Amino acid sequence: MEVRRVLCRKCKKVKREKLEWLADNPFYTKRFAYSVGRKCRTMTVKDVAKEFKLDWDTVKTLDKEYMKKRIYSAYFHPLSLRASKIRQFATE
């Protein structure tokens, strides 16, 4: 896969193009990182690493990424935001 590198006109630095389907770790797709994270919910990191034939540290990193996104989506879920606005309105 070829990733384009471009020169930023503002900061004069070379940057890589952002690919939406790549995970935070550029060697894996978001879908693969999600599946590793889902497995870590029911299995140990060591067992998941063995199943996917990955290094323990890689699985741990992908699991952290998965959990960070789950916490973010739970916190900023539209229903939870609506509930907080209702609570704020009720206390005023």
Side-chain angles (χ1 to χ4, degrees), residues 14-84:
V14 176
K15 297 187 177 193
R16 293 183 334 154
E17 87 180 302
K18 177 83 170 151
L19 300 174
E20 291 299 318
W21 48 271
L22 281 181
D24 292 342
N25 183 336
F27 297 109
Y28 303 102
T29 62
K30 286 183 180 180
R31 189 172 184 173
F32 181 72
Y34 179 80
S35 64
V36 169
R38 291 281 301 179
K39 286 278 188 182
C40 286
R41 293 177 71 185
T42 58
M43 299 167 62
T44 65
V45 173
K46 183 178 179 181
D47 291 339
V48 174
K50 191 178 206 178
E51 182 177 328
F52 285 107
K53 296 182 175 106
L54 295 171
D55 184 47
W56 185 91
D57 293 320
T58 304
V59 173
K60 190 66 176 171
T61 303
L62 293 173
D63 184 37
K64 284 180 184 179
E65 181 181 329
Y66 171 79
M67 292 304 293
K68 188 186 331 177
K69 288 185 178 161
R70 279 194 46 106
I71 290 170
Y72 179 82
S73 65
Y75 184 74
F76 289 105
H77 190 272
L79 292 178
S80 66
L81 290 176
R82 187 180 303 151
S84 67

